C-alpha cells in the first residue's frame, strides 16, 4: 500500500493553468477508474473536487478537470484564482477493499 | 444536512489505547460506507479503515490487528478503537462518509488530534 506519487509543488500566475500528476501502479490507479481528487486549505478538512477520474461534484467550478492515462491521473486547474492556493491530494481504490492517497501537491498562486 | 463530529482524541502513551467517536447526523451510519482517514502533522492523507453498509470491514496494513472500526446504529455513531498505539500513529483522524458507488469521500468531519508520546 504505497502512496500514489505526486509532485511536491506546482505554481502558476492568476489566470494561468496548472496540472498536477498522480502516478500509481497496476495494483491501484492503473487498474481502476475510481480516482478522486481533494483540495485542502490549511487547518481545514479536505474537500472533494473530482471523482471517478473526471466527474465534478455539484458546486465545484468547471475550472477543475481530471483525466487518466495508464498509471497516471492528472488534475488541471484552469484560470487559476487566489483561492485555489491549497494542497491537493489524489486517491484511488487499491483493490481488496482498501484505498490509497497520493503524497500531496502544494499549489501556489504567484 | 450531513454532519460528522469526531471526539475522543488526546494524548496517550506508546502502547496505550484510545477510542475515537464520530457522531453523524443527516443520514444513517449503518446503511452507508464509513471510513477513517488520518493525517500526521505536516504530512499527507492516509487511508486507515472502512466499514461497508453490510458490516464488512477493511484496514490499512499499518493498523491491521491494532485498530477496530465499528458503528452503533442506535447512537448513529462510528467508532475507531485504537490499541497498541505507536508514536507514528500521531495524527488528526478524520471520520468520513463515503460514496456507495465507486471509491471517494463525500463528506469529512473536522478531525480529532491523537498524540502518542511519552
Amino acid at each position: 500500500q504505497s502512496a500514489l506519487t505526486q509532485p511536491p509543488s506546482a505554481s502558476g500566475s492568476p489566470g494561468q493553468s496548472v496540472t498536477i500528476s498522480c502516478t500509481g501502479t497496476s495494483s491501484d490507479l492503473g487498474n481502476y477508474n475510481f480516482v478522486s481528487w481533494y483540495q485542502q486549505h490549511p487547518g481545514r478538512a479536505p474537500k472533494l473536487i473530482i471523482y471517478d477520474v473526471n466527474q465534478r461534484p455539484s458546486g465545484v467550478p468547471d475550472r477543475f478537470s481530471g483525466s487518466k492515462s495508464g498509471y497516471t491521473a492528472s488534475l488541471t486547474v484552469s484560470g487559476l484564482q487566489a483561492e485555489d492556493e491549497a494542497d491537493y491530494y489524489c486517491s484511488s481504490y487499491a483493490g481488496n477493499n482498501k484505498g490509497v492517497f497520493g503524497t500531496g501537491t502544494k499549489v501556489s498562486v504567484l | 444536512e450531513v454532519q460528522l463530529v469526531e471526539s475522543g482524541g488526546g494524548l496517550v502513551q506508546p502502547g496505550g489505547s484510545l477510542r475515537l467517536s464520530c457522531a453523524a447526523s443527516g443520514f444513517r451510519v449503518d446503511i452507508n460506507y464509513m471510513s477513517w482517514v488520518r493525517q500526521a502533522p505536516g504530512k499527507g492523507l492516509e487511508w486507515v479503515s472502512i466499514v461497508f453498509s453490510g458490516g464488512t470491514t477493511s484496514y490499512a496494513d499499518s493498523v491491521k490487528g491494532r485498530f477496530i472500526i465499528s458503528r452503533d446504529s442506535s447512537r448513529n455513531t462510528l467508532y475507531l478503537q485504537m490499541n497498541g498505539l505507536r508514536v507514528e500513529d500521531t495524527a488528526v483522524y478524520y471520520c468520513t462518509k463515503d460514496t456507495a458507488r465507486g471509491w471517494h469521500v463525500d463528506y469529512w468531519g473536522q478531525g480529532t488530534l491523537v498524540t502518542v508520546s511519552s
Side-chain angles (χ1 to χ4, degrees), chain B residues 65-91:
Chain B
R66 300 187 299 124
F67 290 11
I68 300 172
I69 190 172
S70 64
R71 63 196 182 191
D72 183 334
S73 57
S74 65
R75 298 179 188 273
N76 208 33
T77 298
L78 178 74
Y79 300 101
L80 186 68
Q81 177 67 42
M82 304 185 295
N83 302 321
L85 282 162
R86 304 167 180 168
V87 171
E88 55 265 35
D89 294 320
T90 295

mmCIF file with all atom_site columns, all heavy atoms in Angstrom, chain B residues 65-91:
data_model
loop_
_atom_site.group_PDB
_atom_site.id
_atom_site.type_symbol
_atom_site.label_atom_id
_atom_site.label_alt_id
_atom_site.label_comp_id
_atom_site.label_asym_id
_atom_site.label_entity_id
_atom_site.label_seq_id
_atom_site.pdbx_PDB_ins_code
_atom_site.Cartn_x
_atom_site.Cartn_y
_atom_site.Cartn_z
_atom_site.occupancy
_atom_site.B_iso_or_equiv
_atom_site.pdbx_formal_charge
_atom_site.auth_seq_id
_atom_site.auth_comp_id
_atom_site.auth_asym_id
_atom_site.auth_atom_id
_atom_site.pdbx_PDB_model_num
ATOM 1   N N   . GLY B 1 65 ? -4.889  -5.327 12.877 1.00 0.00 ? 65 GLY B N   1
ATOM 2   C CA  . GLY B 1 65 ? -4.577  -6.071 14.085 1.00 0.00 ? 65 GLY B CA  1
ATOM 3   C C   . GLY B 1 65 ? -4.489  -5.198 15.328 1.00 0.00 ? 65 GLY B C   1
ATOM 4   O O   . GLY B 1 65 ? -4.449  -5.727 16.454 1.00 0.00 ? 65 GLY B O   1
ATOM 5   N N   . ARG B 1 66 ? -4.453  -3.876 15.153 1.00 0.00 ? 66 ARG B N   1
ATOM 6   C CA  . ARG B 1 66 ? -4.388  -2.960 16.296 1.00 0.00 ? 66 ARG B CA  1
ATOM 7   C C   . ARG B 1 66 ? -5.634  -2.077 16.398 1.00 0.00 ? 66 ARG B C   1
ATOM 8   O O   . ARG B 1 66 ? -6.043  -1.704 17.504 1.00 0.00 ? 66 ARG B O   1
ATOM 9   C CB  . ARG B 1 66 ? -3.155  -2.068 16.181 1.00 0.00 ? 66 ARG B CB  1
ATOM 10  C CG  . ARG B 1 66 ? -1.828  -2.796 16.145 1.00 0.00 ? 66 ARG B CG  1
ATOM 11  C CD  . ARG B 1 66 ? -0.642  -1.835 16.196 1.00 0.00 ? 66 ARG B CD  1
ATOM 12  N NE  . ARG B 1 66 ? -0.620  -0.916 15.052 1.00 0.00 ? 66 ARG B NE  1
ATOM 13  C CZ  . ARG B 1 66 ? -0.599  0.405  15.149 1.00 0.00 ? 66 ARG B CZ  1
ATOM 14  N NH1 . ARG B 1 66 ? -0.638  0.996  16.337 1.00 0.00 ? 66 ARG B NH1 1
ATOM 15  N NH2 . ARG B 1 66 ? -0.558  1.170  14.057 1.00 0.00 ? 66 ARG B NH2 1
ATOM 16  N N   . PHE B 1 67 ? -6.208  -1.714 15.260 1.00 0.00 ? 67 PHE B N   1
ATOM 17  C CA  . PHE B 1 67 ? -7.378  -0.828 15.240 1.00 0.00 ? 67 PHE B CA  1
ATOM 18  C C   . PHE B 1 67 ? -8.630  -1.636 14.882 1.00 0.00 ? 67 PHE B C   1
ATOM 19  O O   . PHE B 1 67 ? -8.569  -2.592 14.106 1.00 0.00 ? 67 PHE B O   1
ATOM 20  C CB  . PHE B 1 67 ? -7.206  0.288  14.212 1.00 0.00 ? 67 PHE B CB  1
ATOM 21  C CG  . PHE B 1 67 ? -6.166  1.332  14.545 1.00 0.00 ? 67 PHE B CG  1
ATOM 22  C CD1 . PHE B 1 67 ? -5.268  1.162  15.595 1.00 0.00 ? 67 PHE B CD1 1
ATOM 23  C CD2 . PHE B 1 67 ? -6.089  2.490  13.798 1.00 0.00 ? 67 PHE B CD2 1
ATOM 24  C CE1 . PHE B 1 67 ? -4.317  2.127  15.900 1.00 0.00 ? 67 PHE B CE1 1
ATOM 25  C CE2 . PHE B 1 67 ? -5.145  3.468  14.073 1.00 0.00 ? 67 PHE B CE2 1
ATOM 26  C CZ  . PHE B 1 67 ? -4.259  3.278  15.130 1.00 0.00 ? 67 PHE B CZ  1
ATOM 27  N N   . ILE B 1 68 ? -9.761  -1.207 15.432 1.00 0.00 ? 68 ILE B N   1
ATOM 28  C CA  . ILE B 1 68 ? -11.046 -1.838 15.116 1.00 0.00 ? 68 ILE B CA  1
ATOM 29  C C   . ILE B 1 68 ? -12.072 -0.746 14.799 1.00 0.00 ? 68 ILE B C   1
ATOM 30  O O   . ILE B 1 68 ? -12.304 0.138  15.634 1.00 0.00 ? 68 ILE B O   1
ATOM 31  C CB  . ILE B 1 68 ? -11.560 -2.706 16.275 1.00 0.00 ? 68 ILE B CB  1
ATOM 32  C CG1 . ILE B 1 68 ? -10.559 -3.813 16.596 1.00 0.00 ? 68 ILE B CG1 1
ATOM 33  C CG2 . ILE B 1 68 ? -12.926 -3.315 15.922 1.00 0.00 ? 68 ILE B CG2 1
ATOM 34  C CD1 . ILE B 1 68 ? -10.907 -4.597 17.846 1.00 0.00 ? 68 ILE B CD1 1
ATOM 35  N N   . ILE B 1 69 ? -12.683 -0.826 13.625 1.00 0.00 ? 69 ILE B N   1
ATOM 36  C CA  . ILE B 1 69 ? -13.741 0.106  13.248 1.00 0.00 ? 69 ILE B CA  1
ATOM 37  C C   . ILE B 1 69 ? -15.082 -0.546 13.564 1.00 0.00 ? 69 ILE B C   1
ATOM 38  O O   . ILE B 1 69 ? -15.267 -1.755 13.364 1.00 0.00 ? 69 ILE B O   1
ATOM 39  C CB  . ILE B 1 69 ? -13.634 0.485  11.751 1.00 0.00 ? 69 ILE B CB  1
ATOM 40  C CG1 . ILE B 1 69 ? -14.579 1.635  11.413 1.00 0.00 ? 69 ILE B CG1 1
ATOM 41  C CG2 . ILE B 1 69 ? -13.871 -0.725 10.852 1.00 0.00 ? 69 ILE B CG2 1
ATOM 42  C CD1 . ILE B 1 69 ? -14.373 2.180  9.987  1.00 0.00 ? 69 ILE B CD1 1
ATOM 43  N N   . SER B 1 70 ? -16.003 0.252  14.091 1.00 0.00 ? 70 SER B N   1
ATOM 44  C CA  . SER B 1 70 ? -17.330 -0.285 14.400 1.00 0.00 ? 70 SER B CA  1
ATOM 45  C C   . SER B 1 70 ? -18.341 0.854  14.340 1.00 0.00 ? 70 SER B C   1
ATOM 46  O O   . SER B 1 70 ? -17.975 2.020  14.199 1.00 0.00 ? 70 SER B O   1
ATOM 47  C CB  . SER B 1 70 ? -17.341 -0.944 15.779 1.00 0.00 ? 70 SER B CB  1
ATOM 48  O OG  . SER B 1 70 ? -17.078 0.020  16.794 1.00 0.00 ? 70 SER B OG  1
ATOM 49  N N   . ARG B 1 71 ? -19.599 0.512  14.467 1.00 0.00 ? 71 ARG B N   1
ATOM 50  C CA  . ARG B 1 71 ? -20.664 1.514  14.433 1.00 0.00 ? 71 ARG B CA  1
ATOM 51  C C   . ARG B 1 71 ? -21.789 1.104  15.352 1.00 0.00 ? 71 ARG B C   1
ATOM 52  O O   . ARG B 1 71 ? -21.973 -0.084 15.636 1.00 0.00 ? 71 ARG B O   1
ATOM 53  C CB  . ARG B 1 71 ? -21.183 1.684  12.988 1.00 0.00 ? 71 ARG B CB  1
ATOM 54  C CG  . ARG B 1 71 ? -21.799 0.415  12.444 1.00 0.00 ? 71 ARG B CG  1
ATOM 55  C CD  . ARG B 1 71 ? -21.972 0.426  10.946 1.00 0.00 ? 71 ARG B CD  1
ATOM 56  N NE  . ARG B 1 71 ? -22.620 -0.815 10.503 1.00 0.00 ? 71 ARG B NE  1
ATOM 57  C CZ  . ARG B 1 71 ? -22.709 -1.194 9.250  1.00 0.00 ? 71 ARG B CZ  1
ATOM 58  N NH1 . ARG B 1 71 ? -22.207 -0.441 8.282  1.00 0.00 ? 71 ARG B NH1 1
ATOM 59  N NH2 . ARG B 1 71 ? -23.312 -2.326 8.950  1.00 0.00 ? 71 ARG B NH2 1
ATOM 60  N N   . ASP B 1 72 ? -22.541 2.073  15.824 1.00 0.00 ? 72 ASP B N   1
ATOM 61  C CA  . ASP B 1 72 ? -23.683 1.845  16.694 1.00 0.00 ? 72 ASP B CA  1
ATOM 62  C C   . ASP B 1 72 ? -24.873 2.545  16.044 1.00 0.00 ? 72 ASP B C   1
ATOM 63  O O   . ASP B 1 72 ? -24.940 3.776  16.028 1.00 0.00 ? 72 ASP B O   1
ATOM 64  C CB  . ASP B 1 72 ? -23.404 2.416  18.087 1.00 0.00 ? 72 ASP B CB  1
ATOM 65  C CG  . ASP B 1 72 ? -24.524 2.140  19.070 1.00 0.00 ? 72 ASP B CG  1
ATOM 66  O OD1 . ASP B 1 72 ? -25.687 1.969  18.645 1.00 0.00 ? 72 ASP B OD1 1
ATOM 67  O OD2 . ASP B 1 72 ? -24.245 2.105  20.289 1.00 0.00 ? 72 ASP B OD2 1
ATOM 68  N N   . SER B 1 73 ? -25.785 1.755  15.527 1.00 0.00 ? 73 SER B N   1
ATOM 69  C CA  . SER B 1 73 ? -26.918 2.343  14.805 1.00 0.00 ? 73 SER B CA  1
ATOM 70  C C   . SER B 1 73 ? -27.850 3.103  15.752 1.00 0.00 ? 73 SER B C   1
ATOM 71  O O   . SER B 1 73 ? -28.450 4.096  15.352 1.00 0.00 ? 73 SER B O   1
ATOM 72  C CB  . SER B 1 73 ? -27.704 1.260  14.063 1.00 0.00 ? 73 SER B CB  1
ATOM 73  O OG  . SER B 1 73 ? -28.146 0.256  14.956 1.00 0.00 ? 73 SER B OG  1
ATOM 74  N N   . SER B 1 74 ? -27.945 2.672  17.002 1.00 0.00 ? 74 SER B N   1
ATOM 75  C CA  . SER B 1 74 ? -28.838 3.350  17.953 1.00 0.00 ? 74 SER B CA  1
ATOM 76  C C   . SER B 1 74 ? -28.328 4.749  18.301 1.00 0.00 ? 74 SER B C   1
ATOM 77  O O   . SER B 1 74 ? -29.117 5.657  18.572 1.00 0.00 ? 74 SER B O   1
ATOM 78  C CB  . SER B 1 74 ? -29.012 2.523  19.227 1.00 0.00 ? 74 SER B CB  1
ATOM 79  O OG  . SER B 1 74 ? -27.782 2.420  19.919 1.00 0.00 ? 74 SER B OG  1
ATOM 80  N N   . ARG B 1 75 ? -27.014 4.910  18.291 1.00 0.00 ? 75 ARG B N   1
ATOM 81  C CA  . ARG B 1 75 ? -26.415 6.215  18.568 1.00 0.00 ? 75 ARG B CA  1
ATOM 82  C C   . ARG B 1 75 ? -26.031 6.941  17.269 1.00 0.00 ? 75 ARG B C   1
ATOM 83  O O   . ARG B 1 75 ? -25.576 8.079  17.318 1.00 0.00 ? 75 ARG B O   1
ATOM 84  C CB  . ARG B 1 75 ? -25.174 6.056  19.436 1.00 0.00 ? 75 ARG B CB  1
ATOM 85  C CG  . ARG B 1 75 ? -25.449 5.443  20.796 1.00 0.00 ? 75 ARG B CG  1
ATOM 86  C CD  . ARG B 1 75 ? -24.161 5.298  21.605 1.00 0.00 ? 75 ARG B CD  1
ATOM 87  N NE  . ARG B 1 75 ? -24.366 4.551  22.842 1.00 0.00 ? 75 ARG B NE  1
ATOM 88  C CZ  . ARG B 1 75 ? -24.747 5.112  23.978 1.00 0.00 ? 75 ARG B CZ  1
ATOM 89  N NH1 . ARG B 1 75 ? -24.957 6.418  24.045 1.00 0.00 ? 75 ARG B NH1 1
ATOM 90  N NH2 . ARG B 1 75 ? -24.921 4.351  25.048 1.00 0.00 ? 75 ARG B NH2 1
ATOM 91  N N   . ASN B 1 76 ? -26.187 6.256  16.128 1.00 0.00 ? 76 ASN B N   1
ATOM 92  C CA  . ASN B 1 76 ? -25.781 6.782  14.826 1.00 0.00 ? 76 ASN B CA  1
ATOM 93  C C   . ASN B 1 76 ? -24.339 7.302  14.884 1.00 0.00 ? 76 ASN B C   1
ATOM 94  O O   . ASN B 1 76 ? -24.046 8.434  14.483 1.00 0.00 ? 76 ASN B O   1
ATOM 95  C CB  . ASN B 1 76 ? -26.720 7.891  14.336 1.00 0.00 ? 76 ASN B CB  1
ATOM 96  C CG  . ASN B 1 76 ? -26.759 7.962  12.810 1.00 0.00 ? 76 ASN B CG  1
ATOM 97  O OD1 . ASN B 1 76 ? -26.637 6.953  12.121 1.00 0.00 ? 76 ASN B OD1 1
ATOM 98  N ND2 . ASN B 1 76 ? -26.943 9.165  12.280 1.00 0.00 ? 76 ASN B ND2 1
ATOM 99  N N   . THR B 1 77 ? -23.472 6.455  15.402 1.00 0.00 ? 77 THR B N   1
ATOM 100 C CA  . THR B 1 77 ? -22.091 6.843  15.673 1.00 0.00 ? 77 THR B CA  1
ATOM 101 C C   . THR B 1 77 ? -21.112 5.803  15.126 1.00 0.00 ? 77 THR B C   1
ATOM 102 O O   . THR B 1 77 ? -21.361 4.600  15.224 1.00 0.00 ? 77 THR B O   1
ATOM 103 C CB  . THR B 1 77 ? -21.876 7.026  17.187 1.00 0.00 ? 77 THR B CB  1
ATOM 104 O OG1 . THR B 1 77 ? -22.729 8.095  17.646 1.00 0.00 ? 77 THR B OG1 1
ATOM 105 C CG2 . THR B 1 77 ? -20.428 7.383  17.492 1.00 0.00 ? 77 THR B CG2 1
ATOM 106 N N   . LEU B 1 78 ? -20.022 6.313  14.584 1.00 0.00 ? 78 LEU B N   1
ATOM 107 C CA  . LEU B 1 78 ? -18.922 5.471  14.106 1.00 0.00 ? 78 LEU B CA  1
ATOM 108 C C   . LEU B 1 78 ? -17.800 5.529  15.138 1.00 0.00 ? 78 LEU B C   1
ATOM 109 O O   . LEU B 1 78 ? -17.600 6.566  15.784 1.00 0.00 ? 78 LEU B O   1
ATOM 110 C CB  . LEU B 1 78 ? -18.416 6.008  12.755 1.00 0.00 ? 78 LEU B CB  1
ATOM 111 C CG  . LEU B 1 78 ? -17.234 5.286  12.106 1.00 0.00 ? 78 LEU B CG  1
ATOM 112 C CD1 . LEU B 1 78 ? -17.693 3.938  11.534 1.00 0.00 ? 78 LEU B CD1 1
ATOM 113 C CD2 . LEU B 1 78 ? -16.623 6.154  11.010 1.00 0.00 ? 78 LEU B CD2 1
ATOM 114 N N   . TYR B 1 79 ? -17.087 4.428  15.297 1.00 0.00 ? 79 TYR B N   1
ATOM 115 C CA  . TYR B 1 79 ? -16.003 4.369  16.274 1.00 0.00 ? 79 TYR B CA  1
ATOM 116 C C   . TYR B 1 79 ? -14.715 3.871  15.631 1.00 0.00 ? 79 TYR B C   1
ATOM 117 O O   . TYR B 1 79 ? -14.734 3.191  14.595 1.00 0.00 ? 79 TYR B O   1
ATOM 118 C CB  . TYR B 1 79 ? -16.365 3.432  17.428 1.00 0.00 ? 79 TYR B CB  1
ATOM 119 C CG  . TYR B 1 79 ? -17.591 3.826  18.197 1.00 0.00 ? 79 TYR B CG  1
ATOM 120 C CD1 . TYR B 1 79 ? -18.808 3.184  17.972 1.00 0.00 ? 79 TYR B CD1 1
ATOM 121 C CD2 . TYR B 1 79 ? -17.548 4.841  19.153 1.00 0.00 ? 79 TYR B CD2 1
ATOM 122 C CE1 . TYR B 1 79 ? -19.943 3.538  18.680 1.00 0.00 ? 79 TYR B CE1 1
ATOM 123 C CE2 . TYR B 1 79 ? -18.688 5.203  19.857 1.00 0.00 ? 79 TYR B CE2 1
ATOM 124 C CZ  . TYR B 1 79 ? -19.882 4.548  19.621 1.00 0.00 ? 79 TYR B CZ  1
ATOM 125 O OH  . TYR B 1 79 ? -21.005 4.915  20.318 1.00 0.00 ? 79 TYR B OH  1
ATOM 126 N N   . LEU B 1 80 ? -13.617 4.210  16.288 1.00 0.00 ? 80 LEU B N   1
ATOM 127 C CA  . LEU B 1 80 ? -12.335 3.617  15.943 1.00 0.00 ? 80 LEU B CA  1
ATOM 128 C C   . LEU B 1 80 ? -11.622 3.301  17.258 1.00 0.00 ? 80 LEU B C   1
ATOM 129 O O   . LEU B 1 80 ? -11.198 4.220  17.974 1.00 0.00 ? 80 LEU B O   1
ATOM 130 C CB  . LEU B 1 80 ? -11.479 4.539  15.074 1.00 0.00 ? 80 LEU B CB  1
ATOM 131 C CG  . LEU B 1 80 ? -10.176 3.902  14.572 1.00 0.00 ? 80 LEU B CG  1
ATOM 132 C CD1 . LEU B 1 80 ? -10.488 2.772  13.563 1.00 0.00 ? 80 LEU B CD1 1
ATOM 133 C CD2 . LEU B 1 80 ? -9.264  4.944  13.918 1.00 0.00 ? 80 LEU B CD2 1
ATOM 134 N N   . GLN B 1 81 ? -11.552 2.032  17.581 1.00 0.00 ? 81 GLN B N   1
ATOM 135 C CA  . GLN B 1 81 ? -10.822 1.584  18.767 1.00 0.00 ? 81 GLN B CA  1
ATOM 136 C C   . GLN B 1 81 ? -9.373  1.395  18.361 1.00 0.00 ? 81 GLN B C   1
ATOM 137 O O   . GLN B 1 81 ? -9.076  0.608  17.458 1.00 0.00 ? 81 GLN B O   1
ATOM 138 C CB  . GLN B 1 81 ? -11.403 0.269  19.295 1.00 0.00 ? 81 GLN B CB  1
ATOM 139 C CG  . GLN B 1 81 ? -10.642 -0.306 20.485 1.00 0.00 ? 81 GLN B CG  1
ATOM 140 C CD  . GLN B 1 81 ? -10.774 0.553  21.718 1.00 0.00 ? 81 GLN B CD  1
ATOM 141 O OE1 . GLN B 1 81 ? -11.849 1.056  22.036 1.00 0.00 ? 81 GLN B OE1 1
ATOM 142 N NE2 . GLN B 1 81 ? -9.664  0.734  22.439 1.00 0.00 ? 81 GLN B NE2 1
ATOM 143 N N   . MET B 1 82 ? -8.488  2.123  19.011 1.00 0.00 ? 82 MET B N   1
ATOM 144 C CA  . MET B 1 82 ? -7.072  2.079  18.660 1.00 0.00 ? 82 MET B CA  1
ATOM 145 C C   . MET B 1 82 ? -6.287  1.494  19.830 1.00 0.00 ? 82 MET B C   1
ATOM 146 O O   . MET B 1 82 ? -6.269  2.063  20.927 1.00 0.00 ? 82 MET B O   1
ATOM 147 C CB  . MET B 1 82 ? -6.569  3.489  18.324 1.00 0.00 ? 82 MET B CB  1
ATOM 148 C CG  . MET B 1 82 ? -7.362  4.158  17.213 1.00 0.00 ? 82 MET B CG  1
ATOM 149 S SD  . MET B 1 82 ? -6.691  5.760  16.731 1.00 0.00 ? 82 MET B SD  1
ATOM 150 C CE  . MET B 1 82 ? -6.966  6.674  18.225 1.00 0.00 ? 82 MET B CE  1
ATOM 151 N N   . ASN B 1 83 ? -5.663  0.352  19.610 1.00 0.00 ? 83 ASN B N   1
ATOM 152 C CA  . ASN B 1 83 ? -4.867  -0.323 20.624 1.00 0.00 ? 83 ASN B CA  1
ATOM 153 C C   . ASN B 1 83 ? -3.409  -0.383 20.201 1.00 0.00 ? 83 ASN B C   1
ATOM 154 O O   . ASN B 1 83 ? -3.101  -0.229 19.013 1.00 0.00 ? 83 ASN B O   1
ATOM 155 C CB  . ASN B 1 83 ? -5.397  -1.751 20.835 1.00 0.00 ? 83 ASN B CB  1
ATOM 156 C CG  . ASN B 1 83 ? -6.853  -1.769 21.253 1.00 0.00 ? 83 ASN B CG  1
ATOM 157 O OD1 . ASN B 1 83 ? -7.312  -0.941 22.044 1.00 0.00 ? 83 ASN B OD1 1
ATOM 158 N ND2 . ASN B 1 83 ? -7.605  -2.727 20.715 1.00 0.00 ? 83 ASN B ND2 1
ATOM 159 N N   . GLY B 1 84 ? -2.534  -0.616 21.147 1.00 0.00 ? 84 GLY B N   1
ATOM 160 C CA  . GLY B 1 84 ? -1.117  -0.732 20.819 1.00 0.00 ? 84 GLY B CA  1
ATOM 161 C C   . GLY B 1 84 ? -0.591  0.481  20.078 1.00 0.00 ? 84 GLY B C   1
ATOM 162 O O   . GLY B 1 84 ? 0.142   0.346  19.096 1.00 0.00 ? 84 GLY B O   1
ATOM 163 N N   . LEU B 1 85 ? -0.973  1.664  20.540 1.00 0.00 ? 85 LEU B N   1
ATOM 164 C CA  . LEU B 1 85 ? -0.631  2.872  19.801 1.00 0.00 ? 85 LEU B CA  1
ATOM 165 C C   . LEU B 1 85 ? 0.871   3.107  19.753 1.00 0.00 ? 85 LEU B C   1
ATOM 166 O O   . LEU B 1 85 ? 1.606   2.817  20.712 1.00 0.00 ? 85 LEU B O   1
ATOM 167 C CB  . LEU B 1 85 ? -1.347  4.073  20.409 1.00 0.00 ? 85 LEU B CB  1
ATOM 168 C CG  . LEU B 1 85 ? -2.830  4.168  20.011 1.00 0.00 ? 85 LEU B CG  1
ATOM 169 C CD1 . LEU B 1 85 ? -3.604  5.080  20.933 1.00 0.00 ? 85 LEU B CD1 1
ATOM 170 C CD2 . LEU B 1 85 ? -2.954  4.642  18.569 1.00 0.00 ? 85 LEU B CD2 1
ATOM 171 N N   . ARG B 1 86 ? 1.302   3.626  18.631 1.00 0.00 ? 86 ARG B N   1
ATOM 172 C CA  . ARG B 1 86 ? 2.706   3.907  18.377 1.00 0.00 ? 86 ARG B CA  1
ATOM 173 C C   . ARG B 1 86 ? 2.885   5.400  18.116 1.00 0.00 ? 86 ARG B C   1
ATOM 174 O O   . ARG B 1 86 ? 1.932   6.093  17.747 1.00 0.00 ? 86 ARG B O   1
ATOM 175 C CB  . ARG B 1 86 ? 3.182   3.121  17.152 1.00 0.00 ? 86 ARG B CB  1
ATOM 176 C CG  . ARG B 1 86 ? 2.958   1.616  17.241 1.00 0.00 ? 86 ARG B CG  1
ATOM 177 C CD  . ARG B 1 86 ? 3.149   0.954  15.894 1.00 0.00 ? 86 ARG B CD  1
ATOM 178 N NE  . ARG B 1 86 ? 2.940   -0.502 15.967 1.00 0.00 ? 86 ARG B NE  1
ATOM 179 C CZ  . ARG B 1 86 ? 2.825   -1.290 14.898 1.00 0.00 ? 86 ARG B CZ  1
ATOM 180 N NH1 . ARG B 1 86 ? 2.892   -0.766 13.678 1.00 0.00 ? 86 ARG B NH1 1
ATOM 181 N NH2 . ARG B 1 86 ? 2.645   -2.585 15.069 1.00 0.00 ? 86 ARG B NH2 1
ATOM 182 N N   . VAL B 1 87 ? 4.095   5.885  18.271 1.00 0.00 ? 87 VAL B N   1
ATOM 183 C CA  . VAL B 1 87 ? 4.386   7.302  18.014 1.00 0.00 ? 87 VAL B CA  1
ATOM 184 C C   . VAL B 1 87 ? 3.943   7.690  16.606 1.00 0.00 ? 87 VAL B C   1
ATOM 185 O O   . VAL B 1 87 ? 3.407   8.772  16.382 1.00 0.00 ? 87 VAL B O   1
ATOM 186 C CB  . VAL B 1 87 ? 5.883   7.585  18.213 1.00 0.00 ? 87 VAL B CB  1
ATOM 187 C CG1 . VAL B 1 87 ? 6.231   8.986  17.750 1.00 0.00 ? 87 VAL B CG1 1
ATOM 188 C CG2 . VAL B 1 87 ? 6.287   7.385  19.665 1.00 0.00 ? 87 VAL B CG2 1
ATOM 189 N N   . GLU B 1 88 ? 4.119   6.775  15.664 1.00 0.00 ? 88 GLU B N   1
ATOM 190 C CA  . GLU B 1 88 ? 3.775   7.079  14.267 1.00 0.00 ? 88 GLU B CA  1
ATOM 191 C C   . GLU B 1 88 ? 2.273   7.106  14.002 1.00 0.00 ? 88 GLU B C   1
ATOM 192 O O   . GLU B 1 88 ? 1.847   7.421  12.892 1.00 0.00 ? 88 GLU B O   1
ATOM 193 C CB  . GLU B 1 88 ? 4.455   6.078  13.310 1.00 0.00 ? 88 GLU B CB  1
ATOM 194 C CG  . GLU B 1 88 ? 4.172   4.627  13.599 1.00 0.00 ? 88 GLU B CG  1
ATOM 195 C CD  . GLU B 1 88 ? 5.255   3.978  14.453 1.00 0.00 ? 88 GLU B CD  1
ATOM 196 O OE1 . GLU B 1 88 ? 5.820   4.659  15.335 1.00 0.00 ? 88 GLU B OE1 1
ATOM 197 O OE2 . GLU B 1 88 ? 5.497   2.761  14.235 1.00 0.00 ? 88 GLU B OE2 1
ATOM 198 N N   . ASP B 1 89 ? 1.462   6.797  14.997 1.00 0.00 ? 89 ASP B N   1
ATOM 199 C CA  . ASP B 1 89 ? 0.006   6.918  14.857 1.00 0.00 ? 89 ASP B CA  1
ATOM 200 C C   . ASP B 1 89 ? -0.457  8.342  15.167 1.00 0.00 ? 89 ASP B C   1
ATOM 201 O O   . ASP B 1 89 ? -1.648  8.650  15.017 1.00 0.00 ? 89 ASP B O   1
ATOM 202 C CB  . ASP B 1 89 ? -0.717  5.948  15.794 1.00 0.00 ? 89 ASP B CB  1
ATOM 203 C CG  . ASP B 1 89 ? -0.481  4.495  15.423 1.00 0.00 ? 89 ASP B CG  1
ATOM 204 O OD1 . ASP B 1 89 ? -0.470  4.182  14.213 1.00 0.00 ? 89 ASP B OD1 1
ATOM 205 O OD2 . ASP B 1 89 ? -0.313  3.671  16.352 1.00 0.00 ? 89 ASP B OD2 1
ATOM 206 N N   . THR B 1 90 ? 0.457   9.194  15.609 1.00 0.00 ? 90 THR B N   1
ATOM 207 C CA  . THR B 1 90 ? 0.116   10.586 15.885 1.00 0.00 ? 90 THR B CA  1
ATOM 208 C C   . THR B 1 90 ? -0.399  11.261 14.629 1.00 0.00 ? 90 THR B C   1
ATOM 209 O O   . THR B 1 90 ? 0.276   11.279 13.597 1.00 0.00 ? 90 THR B O   1
ATOM 210 C CB  . THR B 1 90 ? 1.347   11.341 16.411 1.00 0.00 ? 90 THR B CB  1
ATOM 211 O OG1 . THR B 1 90 ? 1.725   10.804 17.672 1.00 0.00 ? 90 THR B OG1 1
ATOM 212 C CG2 . THR B 1 90 ? 1.052   12.833 16.559 1.00 0.00 ? 90 THR B CG2 1
ATOM 213 N N   . ALA B 1 91 ? -1.619  11.787 14.703 1.00 0.00 ? 91 ALA B N   1
ATOM 214 C CA  . ALA B 1 91 ? -2.249  12.373 13.517 1.00 0.00 ? 91 ALA B CA  1
ATOM 215 C C   . ALA B 1 91 ? -3.593  12.984 13.882 1.00 0.00 ? 91 ALA B C   1
ATOM 216 O O   . ALA B 1 91 ? -4.139  12.725 14.952 1.00 0.00 ? 91 ALA B O   1
ATOM 217 C CB  . ALA B 1 91 ? -2.463  11.302 12.440 1.00 0.00 ? 91 ALA B CB  1
#
